[in-house]
Amino acid sequence: MAGVTFTLRLDDVAPRAAMARAMAGARDLTPLMDQIGSVLVNGAVERIGQTNVTPEGTPWPKSLRAQLEQGTTLHDSGQLMRSITEEASPGQAVVGSNMIYAGVHQAGATIRAKSGGALSFTLANGESVMVGSVTIPARPYLGVSEDEAADIEELSVLYFTDLLEGEVH
């Protein structure tokens, strides 16, 4: 080989130690997943309690109760909002609610009478009704908004930067 060459080898102790820390940190991402879960919980809570939009920013259909009471859709008692939790593990963050109606509000549903007859209930305005079915529109509150994705990316970069620099998580 003519001319000049430069060879870099990772024989140095410091780069090898940094890489070992990064690899160990990548095997168990629980601390990072816990932070990511918190970002997602906060986003869901904000959507339910304040913005009333999907993670993509689309406004939810306003509920009859919210219209009549000048209230907030999905935020009557605040129970759904307070039920949003996260669970972190080495490879994932799981965010959700244990409320029986949480899935209906997230994905929407059509509710029919069990016996094939009619549903009977009282609307938020006090009117009693009997109908064959009720369709509840989807009002997604779980998901990742653009701002949350940016926060997650920033947390991930910081996590691995800290590992490379020797900071323990």
Side-chain angles (χ1 to χ4, degrees):
M1 178 180 295
V4 66
T5 63
F6 177 80
T7 303
L8 174 68
R9 295 173 44 118
L10 286 180
D11 289 338
D12 190 16
V13 173
R16 285 188 179 277
M19 293 304 291
R21 286 190 304 272
M23 288 174 27
R27 278 192 291 276
D28 184 358
L29 296 172
T30 303
L32 175 60
M33 292 299 145
D34 189 46
Q35 292 176 340
I36 290 171
S38 292
V39 167
L40 298 177
V41 167
N42 290 337
V45 166
E46 182 178 306
R47 284 187 276 284
I48 293 170
Q50 297 171 11
T51 62
N52 280 202
V53 298
T54 68
E56 294 77 25
T58 305
W60 296 336
K62 198 159 179 102
S63 69
L64 177 61
R65 183 208 48 83
Q67 290 173 32
L68 294 171
E69 298 175 3
Q70 301 299 305
T72 305
T73 301
L74 298 190
H75 193 279
D76 184 15
S77 68
Q79 203 169 7
L80 177 61
M81 185 176 71
R82 288 189 304 274
S83 75
I84 306 294
T85 60
E86 61 95 5
E87 187 174 309
S89 65
Q92 67 182 9
V94 178
V95 177
S97 167
N98 63 356
M99 302 304 296
I100 194 166
Y101 53 83
V104 168
H105 290 305
Q106 174 73 19
T110 299
I111 301 169
R112 293 178 178 79
K114 287 182 181 179
S115 63
L119 295 169
S120 177
F121 55 93
T122 303
L123 296 174
N125 64 3
E127 178 185 347
S128 293
V129 295
M130 287 183 65
V131 295
S133 67
V134 173
T135 299
I136 299 172
R139 295 180 176 102
Y141 50 90
L142 298 175
V144 183
S145 70
E146 283 185 23
D147 287 345
E148 291 157 9
D151 290 347
I152 290 167
E153 182 178 347
E154 183 178 331
L155 287 170
S156 300
V157 168
L158 288 173
Y159 178 81
F160 282 101
T161 299
D162 286 352
L163 287 173
L164 289 169
E165 292 176 354
E167 295 185 28
V168 180
H169 284 273

Short mmCIF file of all heavy atoms in Angstrom, two decimals, residues 119-164:
data_model
loop_
_atom_site.label_atom_id
_atom_site.label_comp_id
_atom_site.label_asym_id
_atom_site.label_seq_id
_atom_site.Cartn_x
_atom_site.Cartn_y
_atom_site.Cartn_z
N LEU A 119 -82.15 -1.55 24.60
CA LEU A 119 -81.41 -0.93 25.69
C LEU A 119 -82.26 0.21 26.23
O LEU A 119 -82.83 0.98 25.48
CB LEU A 119 -80.08 -0.36 25.19
CG LEU A 119 -79.05 -1.34 24.66
CD1 LEU A 119 -77.92 -0.59 23.96
CD2 LEU A 119 -78.50 -2.17 25.81
N SER A 120 -82.31 0.33 27.52
CA SER A 120 -83.07 1.41 28.15
C SER A 120 -82.13 2.14 29.10
O SER A 120 -81.51 1.52 29.96
CB SER A 120 -84.26 0.82 28.92
OG SER A 120 -84.95 1.85 29.59
N PHE A 121 -82.03 3.45 28.92
CA PHE A 121 -81.15 4.24 29.78
C PHE A 121 -81.58 5.71 29.73
O PHE A 121 -82.41 6.11 28.92
CB PHE A 121 -79.68 4.08 29.37
CG PHE A 121 -79.41 4.39 27.92
CD1 PHE A 121 -79.01 5.66 27.53
CD2 PHE A 121 -79.55 3.41 26.95
CE1 PHE A 121 -78.76 5.94 26.21
CE2 PHE A 121 -79.29 3.68 25.62
CZ PHE A 121 -78.90 4.96 25.25
N THR A 122 -80.97 6.49 30.61
CA THR A 122 -81.24 7.91 30.69
C THR A 122 -80.04 8.67 30.16
O THR A 122 -78.90 8.43 30.57
CB THR A 122 -81.52 8.33 32.15
OG1 THR A 122 -82.60 7.54 32.65
CG2 THR A 122 -81.87 9.80 32.25
N LEU A 123 -80.31 9.60 29.24
CA LEU A 123 -79.25 10.42 28.67
C LEU A 123 -78.78 11.47 29.67
O LEU A 123 -79.45 11.72 30.70
CB LEU A 123 -79.75 11.13 27.40
CG LEU A 123 -80.13 10.23 26.23
CD1 LEU A 123 -80.75 11.05 25.11
CD2 LEU A 123 -78.91 9.47 25.73
N ALA A 124 -77.68 12.13 29.37
CA ALA A 124 -77.13 13.17 30.24
C ALA A 124 -78.11 14.33 30.43
O ALA A 124 -78.07 15.01 31.45
CB ALA A 124 -75.81 13.68 29.68
N ASN A 125 -79.01 14.52 29.48
CA ASN A 125 -79.98 15.61 29.59
C ASN A 125 -81.24 15.20 30.35
O ASN A 125 -82.19 15.97 30.45
CB ASN A 125 -80.35 16.15 28.21
CG ASN A 125 -81.06 15.13 27.34
OD1 ASN A 125 -81.33 14.01 27.77
ND2 ASN A 125 -81.34 15.52 26.11
N GLY A 126 -81.26 13.97 30.89
CA GLY A 126 -82.40 13.49 31.67
C GLY A 126 -83.44 12.75 30.87
O GLY A 126 -84.37 12.17 31.43
N GLU A 127 -83.32 12.72 29.56
CA GLU A 127 -84.28 12.04 28.69
C GLU A 127 -84.09 10.53 28.77
O GLU A 127 -82.98 10.02 28.69
CB GLU A 127 -84.05 12.52 27.25
CG GLU A 127 -84.96 11.87 26.23
CD GLU A 127 -84.60 12.30 24.80
OE1 GLU A 127 -83.84 13.26 24.61
OE2 GLU A 127 -85.10 11.63 23.88
N SER A 128 -85.20 9.79 28.95
CA SER A 128 -85.16 8.33 28.95
C SER A 128 -85.34 7.83 27.52
O SER A 128 -86.21 8.33 26.80
CB SER A 128 -86.26 7.75 29.83
OG SER A 128 -86.02 8.07 31.18
N VAL A 129 -84.54 6.86 27.13
CA VAL A 129 -84.61 6.34 25.76
C VAL A 129 -84.55 4.82 25.77
O VAL A 129 -84.02 4.21 26.70
CB VAL A 129 -83.49 6.90 24.86
CG1 VAL A 129 -83.62 8.38 24.66
CG2 VAL A 129 -82.13 6.55 25.41
N MET A 130 -85.13 4.23 24.72
CA MET A 130 -85.02 2.79 24.46
C MET A 130 -84.58 2.66 23.02
O MET A 130 -85.22 3.18 22.11
CB MET A 130 -86.36 2.09 24.68
CG MET A 130 -86.72 1.96 26.14
SD MET A 130 -88.26 1.05 26.41
CE MET A 130 -87.82 -0.57 25.81
N VAL A 131 -83.46 1.97 22.81
CA VAL A 131 -82.91 1.81 21.47
C VAL A 131 -82.41 0.39 21.29
O VAL A 131 -82.16 -0.32 22.26
CB VAL A 131 -81.76 2.81 21.20
CG1 VAL A 131 -82.27 4.24 21.20
CG2 VAL A 131 -80.65 2.63 22.21
N GLY A 132 -82.24 -0.02 20.05
CA GLY A 132 -81.73 -1.35 19.76
C GLY A 132 -80.23 -1.46 19.98
O GLY A 132 -79.73 -2.51 20.34
N SER A 133 -79.52 -0.36 19.75
CA SER A 133 -78.07 -0.37 19.94
C SER A 133 -77.57 1.06 20.13
O SER A 133 -78.25 2.02 19.78
CB SER A 133 -77.36 -1.03 18.76
OG SER A 133 -77.52 -0.23 17.60
N VAL A 134 -76.38 1.16 20.67
CA VAL A 134 -75.72 2.45 20.85
C VAL A 134 -74.31 2.30 20.31
O VAL A 134 -73.61 1.34 20.63
CB VAL A 134 -75.65 2.85 22.34
CG1 VAL A 134 -74.82 4.09 22.53
CG2 VAL A 134 -77.04 3.03 22.91
N THR A 135 -73.90 3.23 19.46
CA THR A 135 -72.54 3.23 18.94
C THR A 135 -71.75 4.33 19.65
O THR A 135 -72.13 5.50 19.61
CB THR A 135 -72.52 3.45 17.42
OG1 THR A 135 -73.26 2.37 16.82
CG2 THR A 135 -71.12 3.47 16.88
N ILE A 136 -70.68 3.92 20.29
CA ILE A 136 -69.78 4.86 20.95
C ILE A 136 -68.58 5.03 20.04
O ILE A 136 -67.89 4.05 19.72
CB ILE A 136 -69.35 4.32 22.34
CG1 ILE A 136 -70.59 4.16 23.22
CG2 ILE A 136 -68.32 5.25 22.98
CD1 ILE A 136 -70.34 3.47 24.53
N PRO A 137 -68.33 6.26 19.59
CA PRO A 137 -67.20 6.46 18.67
C PRO A 137 -65.86 6.26 19.37
O PRO A 137 -65.74 6.48 20.59
CB PRO A 137 -67.36 7.91 18.21
CG PRO A 137 -68.14 8.57 19.30
CD PRO A 137 -69.02 7.52 19.90
N ALA A 138 -64.87 5.88 18.61
CA ALA A 138 -63.51 5.75 19.15
C ALA A 138 -62.99 7.13 19.52
O ALA A 138 -63.18 8.10 18.79
CB ALA A 138 -62.60 5.11 18.11
N ARG A 139 -62.38 7.19 20.69
CA ARG A 139 -61.72 8.41 21.16
C ARG A 139 -60.34 7.99 21.68
O ARG A 139 -60.13 7.92 22.89
CB ARG A 139 -62.55 9.10 22.23
CG ARG A 139 -63.90 9.60 21.70
CD ARG A 139 -64.71 10.27 22.80
NE ARG A 139 -65.93 10.84 22.27
CZ ARG A 139 -67.14 10.29 22.40
NH1 ARG A 139 -67.28 9.14 23.04
NH2 ARG A 139 -68.19 10.89 21.90
N PRO A 140 -59.42 7.68 20.76
CA PRO A 140 -58.12 7.16 21.19
C PRO A 140 -57.36 8.14 22.08
O PRO A 140 -57.18 9.31 21.73
CB PRO A 140 -57.36 6.95 19.88
CG PRO A 140 -58.41 6.90 18.82
CD PRO A 140 -59.53 7.77 19.31
N TYR A 141 -56.97 7.67 23.24
CA TYR A 141 -56.18 8.47 24.17
C TYR A 141 -54.81 7.84 24.39
O TYR A 141 -53.88 8.50 24.81
CB TYR A 141 -56.91 8.64 25.51
CG TYR A 141 -57.41 7.35 26.11
CD1 TYR A 141 -56.62 6.60 26.96
CD2 TYR A 141 -58.67 6.85 25.78
CE1 TYR A 141 -57.06 5.40 27.49
CE2 TYR A 141 -59.12 5.66 26.30
CZ TYR A 141 -58.32 4.94 27.15
OH TYR A 141 -58.76 3.74 27.66
N LEU A 142 -54.67 6.55 24.08
CA LEU A 142 -53.38 5.87 24.15
C LEU A 142 -52.71 5.93 22.79
O LEU A 142 -53.38 5.82 21.76
CB LEU A 142 -53.57 4.40 24.55
CG LEU A 142 -54.19 4.13 25.91
CD1 LEU A 142 -54.43 2.64 26.09
CD2 LEU A 142 -53.33 4.68 27.03
N GLY A 143 -51.41 6.09 22.79
CA GLY A 143 -50.66 6.16 21.55
C GLY A 143 -49.47 7.08 21.72
O GLY A 143 -49.15 7.50 22.84
N VAL A 144 -48.83 7.41 20.62
CA VAL A 144 -47.63 8.24 20.66
C VAL A 144 -47.83 9.44 19.73
O VAL A 144 -47.96 9.28 18.51
CB VAL A 144 -46.38 7.44 20.21
CG1 VAL A 144 -45.13 8.30 20.31
CG2 VAL A 144 -46.23 6.17 21.02
N SER A 145 -47.85 10.63 20.31
CA SER A 145 -47.95 11.85 19.51
C SER A 145 -46.57 12.20 18.96
O SER A 145 -45.54 11.62 19.37
CB SER A 145 -48.46 13.01 20.37
OG SER A 145 -47.46 13.40 21.31
N GLU A 146 -46.50 13.16 18.05
CA GLU A 146 -45.21 13.60 17.51
C GLU A 146 -44.32 14.14 18.63
O GLU A 146 -43.12 13.85 18.67
CB GLU A 146 -45.41 14.67 16.43
CG GLU A 146 -45.88 14.12 15.11
CD GLU A 146 -45.96 15.20 14.03
OE1 GLU A 146 -45.27 16.24 14.15
OE2 GLU A 146 -46.71 14.98 13.07
N ASP A 147 -44.89 14.93 19.54
CA ASP A 147 -44.10 15.48 20.65
C ASP A 147 -43.59 14.37 21.56
O ASP A 147 -42.45 14.41 22.02
CB ASP A 147 -44.94 16.47 21.48
CG ASP A 147 -45.16 17.79 20.76
OD1 ASP A 147 -44.46 18.07 19.77
OD2 ASP A 147 -46.05 18.55 21.21
N GLU A 148 -44.43 13.38 21.81
CA GLU A 148 -44.01 12.25 22.66
C GLU A 148 -42.92 11.44 21.97
O GLU A 148 -41.96 11.00 22.63
CB GLU A 148 -45.22 11.38 23.01
CG GLU A 148 -46.19 12.07 23.93
CD GLU A 148 -47.60 11.52 23.86
OE1 GLU A 148 -47.84 10.48 23.23
OE2 GLU A 148 -48.49 12.16 24.45
N ALA A 149 -43.02 11.25 20.66
CA ALA A 149 -41.98 10.54 19.92
C ALA A 149 -40.64 11.28 20.03
O ALA A 149 -39.59 10.65 20.22
CB ALA A 149 -42.39 10.36 18.46
N ALA A 150 -40.69 12.60 19.94
CA ALA A 150 -39.47 13.40 20.08
C ALA A 150 -38.90 13.26 21.49
O ALA A 150 -37.68 13.14 21.67
CB ALA A 150 -39.74 14.86 19.75
N ASP A 151 -39.77 13.28 22.50
CA ASP A 151 -39.32 13.11 23.89
C ASP A 151 -38.69 11.73 24.09
O ASP A 151 -37.67 11.60 24.77
CB ASP A 151 -40.48 13.28 24.87
CG ASP A 151 -40.97 14.71 24.97
OD1 ASP A 151 -40.28 15.63 24.48
OD2 ASP A 151 -42.08 14.92 25.53
N ILE A 152 -39.31 10.71 23.51
CA ILE A 152 -38.79 9.34 23.63
C ILE A 152 -37.43 9.23 22.95
O ILE A 152 -36.50 8.61 23.49
CB ILE A 152 -39.80 8.33 23.05
CG1 ILE A 152 -41.03 8.25 23.98
CG2 ILE A 152 -39.17 6.96 22.84
CD1 ILE A 152 -42.22 7.54 23.37
N GLU A 153 -37.29 9.84 21.79
CA GLU A 153 -35.99 9.82 21.10
C GLU A 153 -34.93 10.51 21.95
O GLU A 153 -33.82 10.00 22.11
CB GLU A 153 -36.11 10.50 19.74
CG GLU A 153 -34.82 10.49 18.95
CD GLU A 153 -34.94 11.11 17.57
OE1 GLU A 153 -36.07 11.36 17.11
OE2 GLU A 153 -33.88 11.35 16.97
N GLU A 154 -35.28 11.65 22.53
CA GLU A 154 -34.33 12.38 23.38
C GLU A 154 -33.94 11.56 24.61
O GLU A 154 -32.77 11.48 24.97
CB GLU A 154 -34.94 13.72 23.80
CG GLU A 154 -34.00 14.58 24.62
CD GLU A 154 -34.62 15.92 24.98
OE1 GLU A 154 -35.47 16.42 24.22
OE2 GLU A 154 -34.25 16.46 26.04
N LEU A 155 -34.93 10.93 25.25
CA LEU A 155 -34.64 10.08 26.40
C LEU A 155 -33.73 8.92 26.02
O LEU A 155 -32.82 8.56 26.79
CB LEU A 155 -35.95 9.53 27.00
CG LEU A 155 -36.81 10.49 27.78
CD1 LEU A 155 -38.17 9.85 28.09
CD2 LEU A 155 -36.12 10.93 29.06
N SER A 156 -33.96 8.34 24.85
CA SER A 156 -33.14 7.21 24.40
C SER A 156 -31.69 7.63 24.15
O SER A 156 -30.75 6.94 24.55
CB SER A 156 -33.73 6.61 23.13
OG SER A 156 -35.04 6.15 23.37
N VAL A 157 -31.52 8.77 23.51
CA VAL A 157 -30.16 9.28 23.26
C VAL A 157 -29.46 9.55 24.58
O VAL A 157 -28.30 9.17 24.77
CB VAL A 157 -30.21 10.55 22.37
CG1 VAL A 157 -28.87 11.26 22.34
CG2 VAL A 157 -30.66 10.18 20.95
N LEU A 158 -30.16 10.20 25.51
CA LEU A 158 -29.56 10.50 26.82
C LEU A 158 -29.21 9.22 27.58
O LEU A 158 -28.16 9.14 28.22
CB LEU A 158 -30.51 11.36 27.65
CG LEU A 158 -30.66 12.80 27.20
CD1 LEU A 158 -31.76 13.51 28.00
CD2 LEU A 158 -29.34 13.55 27.33
N TYR A 159 -30.08 8.22 27.50
CA TYR A 159 -29.84 6.96 28.19
C TYR A 159 -28.54 6.31 27.72
O TYR A 159 -27.68 5.93 28.52
CB TYR A 159 -31.03 6.02 27.95
CG TYR A 159 -30.89 4.65 28.56
CD1 TYR A 159 -31.16 4.45 29.90
CD2 TYR A 159 -30.48 3.56 27.80
CE1 TYR A 159 -31.04 3.18 30.49
CE2 TYR A 159 -30.35 2.30 28.36
CZ TYR A 159 -30.64 2.12 29.71
OH TYR A 159 -30.51 0.87 30.27
N PHE A 160 -28.38 6.22 26.40
CA PHE A 160 -27.18 5.57 25.88
C PHE A 160 -25.94 6.46 26.02
O PHE A 160 -24.84 5.95 26.22
CB PHE A 160 -27.40 5.09 24.45
CG PHE A 160 -28.19 3.82 24.40
CD1 PHE A 160 -29.54 3.84 24.10
CD2 PHE A 160 -27.60 2.61 24.70
CE1 PHE A 160 -30.29 2.67 24.09
CE2 PHE A 160 -28.33 1.43 24.69
CZ PHE A 160 -29.68 1.46 24.39
N THR A 161 -26.12 7.76 25.94
CA THR A 161 -24.99 8.67 26.19
C THR A 161 -24.49 8.49 27.61
O THR A 161 -23.28 8.39 27.85
CB THR A 161 -25.40 10.13 25.94
OG1 THR A 161 -25.81 10.26 24.58
CG2 THR A 161 -24.26 11.09 26.22
N ASP A 162 -25.42 8.43 28.56
CA ASP A 162 -25.04 8.21 29.96
C ASP A 162 -24.30 6.88 30.13
O ASP A 162 -23.31 6.80 30.85
CB ASP A 162 -26.26 8.25 30.88
CG ASP A 162 -26.81 9.65 31.08
OD1 ASP A 162 -26.16 10.63 30.64
OD2 ASP A 162 -27.89 9.77 31.69
N LEU A 163 -24.80 5.84 29.48
CA LEU A 163 -24.13 4.53 29.58
C LEU A 163 -22.71 4.61 29.04
O LEU A 163 -21.77 4.09 29.66
CB LEU A 163 -24.91 3.46 28.81
CG LEU A 163 -26.21 2.97 29.44
CD1 LEU A 163 -26.94 2.04 28.47
CD2 LEU A 163 -25.96 2.29 30.76
N LEU A 164 -22.54 5.25 27.89
CA LEU A 164 -21.21 5.35 27.29
C LEU A 164 -20.26 6.17 28.16
O LEU A 164 -19.06 5.91 28.20
CB LEU A 164 -21.31 5.94 25.89
CG LEU A 164 -21.92 5.03 24.83
CD1 LEU A 164 -22.21 5.80 23.55
CD2 LEU A 164 -21.02 3.83 24.55
#
